[in-house]
Amino acid sequence: MIYVGGVPVRDENSSSSLSSSSQGSSLLLDVMSHPVITLASDSFKNLEEKNVSFDESDSESSTKDRYVYIFQREFAVVNPALVDFVGTDEATTCVGLVIRNRKSGMTSVAHMDSPEIVDLGISQILSLVLEDDVDAELDVHMVGGYEDVDIKNADGSGGDYAKPEGYSFPLCCKLVETLQKRREYFHIQTLFILGHNTKLDAQANTCPIFNGCLVNTSTGAILPASFDRTSRCPDEIVRRIRVSSSFLDSSWKGKLLDTYDTKTDRFIIAPCRWTMRLVEYVWELNQLSDEEILTNCSTSPSAEGPDFVDNSRRIWEYLLKHPDWSKTFPKRQPRVFERTVDGHWKKC
């Protein structure tokens, strides 16, 4: 169940005569308009964005602290005794979901990209965050999912999460509805999504104010954040490829990708396969212009970061250079990375 300001949220529109998506829509809009959430959103909006970089030439380099970074469709649950900060970015129509156990400090960040992974994904998270304490009080933050369509008339009357059009709203509805239906105690602290996280760019296109967040695991404080190529690690390219290949792997259907081992503070990237058909498709994509890549490969072409196209091409070039997946995962073994004393990651 969801709590705001310490008070349980009652969904007055939970009548059985309403469709599931309609209930989720009304609940989401009710929670977003709650005075406590509105005030928290205004406060979050005024925070300075933290730029996380491990560049040795940067005097403000963050390598002295212990970080865990999460890519799209991934999640991690971290122990504050082992990790100082955990975060994600590059969320336009995706949502960065933070769930933290108030008692133990165990903190999870997940990069949710679809309503289809919400149910199982939250179960995956809670299996580690709760630590067998089903009555634990959990703080929840959501950042991302800007208003990519006008939701003023999006009451979910279509009865399907694919309606209204757009990506952010159905995902945010599903997240809030799922938390409300579960028996655990979820205290919503930040809901910086949709209208709260939307601005206009110079061309009058809607875009997110912030597309990432960073959590201090010892205090639970959350900041808007962005990362660069040095801090989106370890194993950036292979982990990005895993996101695409997971869509073709039925064993990952409806699940978040588990790459970080909580107990050992290591990244364990399980083997993933890619086919020659994917490699051929990638070759075709790589022939497109930058503008065509944005149009064909993004859910939010006008809102993507300046490195979106470059990141896409780096993934494709890796696949073209390594068409045989078994060369990336010799003997079908996972790629394992452990932390060094200076906070970097090294391949075992």
Side-chain angles (χ1 to χ4, degrees):
M1 174 174 280
I2 286 175
Y3 290 74
V4 176
V7 178
V9 174
R10 305 293 181 185
D11 186 5
E12 298 177 355
N13 298 295
S14 59
S15 167
S16 59
S17 63
L18 295 176
S19 69
S20 174
S21 60
S22 181
Q23 292 177 34
S25 299
S26 63
L27 175 63
L28 172 62
L29 297 176
D30 286 347
V31 175
M32 284 192 62
S33 62
H34 193 289
V36 171
I37 296 301
T38 301
L39 181 61
S41 295
D42 290 340
S43 297
F44 192 82
K45 186 185 299 184
N46 291 325
L47 294 174
E48 183 178 354
E49 184 177 66
K50 170 73 172 177
N51 297 310
V52 183
S53 175
F54 296 166
D55 187 347
E56 297 293 345
S57 63
D58 186 349
S59 60
E60 297 183 4
S61 176
S62 307
T63 49
K64 292 181 180 179
D65 294 312
R66 298 166 298 179
Y67 282 78
V68 165
Y69 179 80
I70 300 304
F71 284 100
Q72 180 180 344
R73 196 166 276 226
E74 290 185 344
F75 85 102
V77 176
V78 303
N79 185 335
L82 301 174
V83 177
D84 299 306
F85 297 96
V86 56
T88 189
D89 72 341
E90 300 186 314
T92 53
T93 57
C94 299
V95 173
L97 172 68
V98 178
I99 300 180
R100 183 176 186 271
N101 187 319
R102 286 182 172 180
K103 182 179 179 180
S104 68
M106 296 294 285
T107 304
S108 171
V109 170
H111 191 122
M112 297 287 191
D113 65 355
S114 166
E116 283 72 31
I117 62 169
V118 170
D119 288 323
L120 282 178
I122 289 178
S123 293
Q124 289 174 273
I125 292 167
L126 294 180
S127 68
L128 295 170
V129 169
L130 289 175
E131 295 186 307
D132 299 322
D133 182 4
V134 294
D135 295 321
E137 304 283 329
L138 304 170
D139 285 329
V140 176
H141 307 268
M142 297 185 203
V143 178
Y146 82 108
E147 199 167 276
D148 57 334
V149 294
D150 184 2
I151 67 169
K152 292 180 180 179
N153 298 312
D155 60 359
S157 57
D160 190 328
Y161 276 115
K163 300 176 182 179
E165 292 182 358
Y167 296 91
S168 298
F169 189 70
L171 174 58
C172 294
C173 282
K174 180 64 175 175
L175 282 166
V176 172
E177 181 188 22
T178 300
L179 295 179
Q180 176 71 343
K181 287 182 176 180
R182 295 189 63 106
R183 68 172 304 278
E184 295 85 5
Y185 305 103
F186 300 102
H187 296 268
I188 305 293
Q189 304 295 340
T190 308
L191 212 57
F192 201 70
I193 56 176
L194 300 174
H196 292 316
N197 186 32
T198 302
K199 64 179 181 180
L200 296 179
D201 64 15
Q203 288 72 44
N205 298 309
T206 58
C207 60
I209 298 171
F210 300 124
N211 63 11
C213 63
L214 184 71
V215 185
N216 183 319
T217 61
S218 62
T219 66
I222 182 171
L223 291 171
S226 63
F227 297 75
D228 65 13
R229 193 177 298 180
T230 66
S231 54
R232 293 179 185 135
C233 62
D235 219 13
E236 176 201 0
I237 297 298
V238 172
R239 286 166 68 189
R240 288 187 187 275
I241 291 172
R242 235 179 129 220
V243 175
S244 301
S245 61
S246 68
F247 287 101
L248 305 175
D249 187 342
S250 59
S251 67
W252 285 105
K253 185 175 182 180
K255 296 180 182 179
L256 289 167
L257 297 175
D258 186 2
T259 56
Y260 174 80
D261 186 74
T262 305
K263 293 182 179 179
T264 62
D265 187 33
R266 297 191 304 173
F267 273 91
I268 303 176
I269 294 94
C272 63
R273 300 185 181 193
W274 50 86
T275 64
M276 283 306 300
R277 181 178 179 182
L278 175 62
V279 174
E280 291 168 359
Y281 178 58
V282 157
W283 184 89
E284 294 177 1
L285 289 175
N286 208 28
Q287 310 310 306
L288 300 177
S289 67
D290 290 358
E291 184 177 350
E292 288 172 327
I293 290 173
L294 278 169
T295 302
N296 288 278
C297 302
S298 171
T299 59
S300 50
S302 64
E304 293 293 355
D307 55 356
F308 177 84
V309 172
D310 181 56
N311 288 337
S312 298
R313 291 197 187 279
R314 288 193 299 123
I315 294 169
W316 301 339
E317 287 165 5
Y318 182 95
L319 288 169
L320 293 170
K321 187 177 180 180
H322 305 87
D324 183 354
W325 68 272
S326 65
K327 298 294 179 60
T328 299
F329 296 96
K331 299 181 180 179
R332 302 187 179 186
Q333 294 300 302
R335 296 163 67 89
V336 180
F337 294 79
E338 62 183 20
R339 197 186 299 276
T340 62
V341 293
D342 59 0
H344 288 289
W345 295 99
K346 69 174 182 179
K347 191 167 184 275
C348 297

